[in-house]
Amino acid sequence: MRELWVRIVAGITGALVLLLALAFAGLQSPPTPVAAPAMPAAALPPALVGAGHAVYEAQGCAMCHAIAGEGNPRYPLDGVGGRRDAAELRDWILATGAAEEALPARAARMKQDYRALAGSELDALVAYMKSLTDRPPGEGER
Amino acid sequence: MNPPVSAVLWVLLYLLLVAAPLLVLLIGPVPPGAGFWWDFSMALGFAGMAMMGVQFALTARLRRASAPFGIDIIYYFHRYAAVIALGLLLAHFAVLRIDYAEALGAIDPRRAPWHMTAGRVALALFAVVIITSLWRKPLGIEYDRWRMWHALLATVAFLAAAGHIAGVGYYTVAPWKRVLWTAYTLFWVLLIAYVRLAKPWAMRRRPWRVAEVRAERGNAWTLALAPEGHVGLAFAPGQFAWLTLRASPYHVKEHPFSFSSSAENGARIEFTIKELGDFTRTIKTVQPGEVAYLDGPYGVFSIDRHPHAPGFVFIAGGVGIAPIMSMLRSAADRGERRPLTLVYANNRWDDVIFREELEQLRERLDLKLVHVLAEPPEDWAGERGYVDDALLARYLPPEQRTFECFLCGPRPMTDAVQRALTALGVPLRRVHFELFEMV
């Protein structure tokens, strides 16, 4: 008899927690935008953009960022190349200049690692960011 | 407060504790969402952690909280809840692994951020803790060793998971949420400290001395304890306590045993213990004067929980007689007049623990005593074989099927007797037994 109650309470707990998790996700998230693949802009040398993409992967940038739906969806980078110029992008990558103020302390700390990049790697990464001009469909102008 | 009401309140408190973190995260400024599955995964992680946290409370043996249910059932629940919580944590990981593999980064701990490694370590440790608990015996892990590692690994896993959450830090970035989450985590850590340090300390201050070790039939020994410098403890007959012998209470080398003596004498308490394992084999070597520590009493397996029952039926197998003996002795000391039936199953007549004393108790109680032997002597005129519905039907007339039934014996026997009683029309709510040997 008591065993039955245990199963009931355990079931209720599991269901309650799942419902709360669903509610949490539903309340927090509007429908996920379906991202289109990013297109490198013609003006950027494809080799440099390719090298930047390699740096992006090697540095594990996808742990905090997503491009075209790949990676951590919290901070998508789609369209960032259209919003920021190269100098701004460099600041955001390194957490320097205006970006240092704008970034949360934790994020600024994480970005310290990028200061160890070779100049050529950083240039390539900036070029790759600059190439991300496509916004995910469904998002308006910002 | 009457037991059903307090039971409901404790269950509600449990649900609140489990739900609290998610509710807190939802209140106030919520960071922007990142897609349904991502946020669902995060919620599963928090929910799993909340359930794992409360696991420490479930096994803290908080007497008030366990009183309405019986601590055995709390441990039983602890087991179920652990599996559900691990399921939530695995789902948290699985959603990310499937939908957002890149976001998990490198597995190699030398390349991965520490908080991601902490999360992986926590998940692996929780899985190890649960697997070694569900299958301790098949895995051949000794009980004392299991208990120590269980507590240790669970604590490390929990702290690693807490570190993982702090390291990811997204939801807990608002200062007040960080404070709340830290407090919530710290609460469980303090609870662990209470269980591992404060409780043993209190036990040390209330030591017991071995007064006697008496041989019983059937390779069983009765261990009598007298309080040393305190008044002893008040228990309900049928309850049990965790006993520590030849070890400090801090070492957590304790084993649960039912009291077998009368509850009317809390100043000399007895346990009757059969030689079944490593620890129980040492009872016969214990000398009078040795120190013992007790954590108890616990349990709801008692006639005292049913003051208005018209009578009682006891069904014991082997050393399962111990808690029932406590109830019979207490009943005799209290001048109990209600009708009692004891169906007592053993293999051999010579191994029937308390055989002589049970005969004597018949003079003081309205006690119908039915011995059932699996291997009876040739001249045996009594019941033979096992306790089944046909046998029970012979000794339980229909009007006695409203009695409260207490079963204590090996699990296959209590399972079979439960089915037999159900077949006789005894409602399950009147059938009581302890759930021992869960790990």
Side-chain angles (χ1 to χ4, degrees), chain A residues 2 28-29 70 74-75 106, chain B residues 30-31 39 69 72 167-168:
Chain A
R2 292 187 304 149
Q28 258 217 319
S29 288
E70 303 262 295
R74 190 69 71 195
Y75 306 103
R106 267 178 49 79
Chain B
V30 178
D39 288 322
F69 311 96
D72 58 329
V168 173

Side-chain angles (χ1 to χ4, degrees), chain B residues 391-402:
Chain B
L391 185 144
L392 289 174
R394 284 199 288 284
Y395 295 100
L396 292 186
E399 69 274 14
Q400 294 202 351
R401 292 174 196 168
T402 57

Side-chain angles (χ1 to χ4, degrees), chain A residues 1-3 6-7 9-10 13-14 16-18 20-22 24-26 28-29 32 62-63 70-75 106, chain B residues 18-19 26 30-35 38-40 43 47 69 72-73 76 80 84 100 102-103 167-168 170-171 300 411 433:
Chain A
M1 192 69 181
R2 292 187 304 149
E3 288 158 291
V6 161
R7 283 186 215 119
V9 173
T13 309
L16 175 85
V17 157
L18 267 182
L20 274 173
L22 285 169
F24 179 83
Q28 258 217 319
S29 288
T32 324
M63 292 185 67
E70 303 262 295
N72 186 333
R74 190 69 71 195
Y75 306 103
R106 267 178 49 79
Chain B
V18 167
L26 275 173
V30 178
W38 177 271
D39 288 322
F40 182 55
F69 311 96
D72 58 329
I73 212 78
Y76 192 71
Y80 266 92
I84 294 176
Y100 309 95
E102 299 82 6
V168 173
Y170 188 72
Y171 287 93
V300 291
R411 188 71 199 243
F433 54 92

Side-chain angles (χ1 to χ4, degrees), chain B residues 35-180:
Chain B
F36 180 84
W37 288 105
W38 177 271
D39 288 322
F40 182 55
S41 164
M42 298 302 130
L44 289 175
F46 275 101
M49 252 310 255
M51 281 191 79
M52 286 298 189
V54 190
Q55 289 290 80
F56 292 104
L58 290 177
T59 51
R61 295 193 205 150
L62 306 169
R63 206 170 293 137
R64 274 173 72 96
S66 67
F69 311 96
I71 198 130
D72 58 329
I73 212 78
I74 306 270
Y75 277 90
Y76 192 71
F77 183 76
H78 175 80
R79 221 174 127 98
Y80 266 92
V83 174
I84 294 176
L86 181 66
L88 294 171
L89 295 180
L90 285 171
H92 159 69
F93 176 74
V95 169
L96 294 179
R97 185 76 193 72
I98 293 166
D99 270 3
Y100 309 95
E102 299 82 6
L104 290 174
I107 293 176
D108 185 344
R110 287 166 303 180
R111 287 173 52 223
W114 69 269
H115 64 267
M116 295 305 280
T117 303
R120 291 187 179 97
V121 166
L123 192 59
L125 285 181
F126 278 131
V128 166
V129 166
I130 288 173
I131 289 167
T132 51
S133 305
L134 294 180
W135 294 286
R136 177 182 75 82
K137 279 183 187 159
L139 290 169
I141 305 167
E142 190 243 340
Y143 179 80
D144 282 333
R145 179 167 303 190
W146 168 79
R147 268 204 70 181
M148 193 184 81
W149 282 102
H150 187 80
L152 195 68
L153 291 183
T155 307
V156 172
F158 186 77
L159 291 176
H164 171 68
I165 292 175
V168 173
Y170 188 72
Y171 287 93
T172 51
V173 79
W176 67 273
K177 282 193 188 181
R178 190 169 18 207
V179 168
L180 267 181

Side-chain angles (χ1 to χ4, degrees), chain B residues 302-321:
Chain B
S302 178
I303 50 175
D304 288 9
R305 302 265 300 191
H306 309 276
H308 306 299
F312 297 100
V313 176
F314 306 100
I315 300 169
V319 75
I321 192 69

Side-chain angles (χ1 to χ4, degrees), chain B residues 200-209 225 241-250 254-255 271 290-296:
Chain B
W201 182 78
M203 277 163 71
R204 265 189 78 98
R205 287 171 51 106
R206 291 174 65 85
W208 296 71
R209 290 266 172 213
L225 302 179
W242 268 273
L243 168 69
T244 302
L245 272 174
R246 294 177 172 172
S248 150
Y250 293 103
E254 42 173 15
H255 300 258
F271 299 94
E290 284 192 47
V291 181
Y293 301 100
L294 290 181
D295 181 19

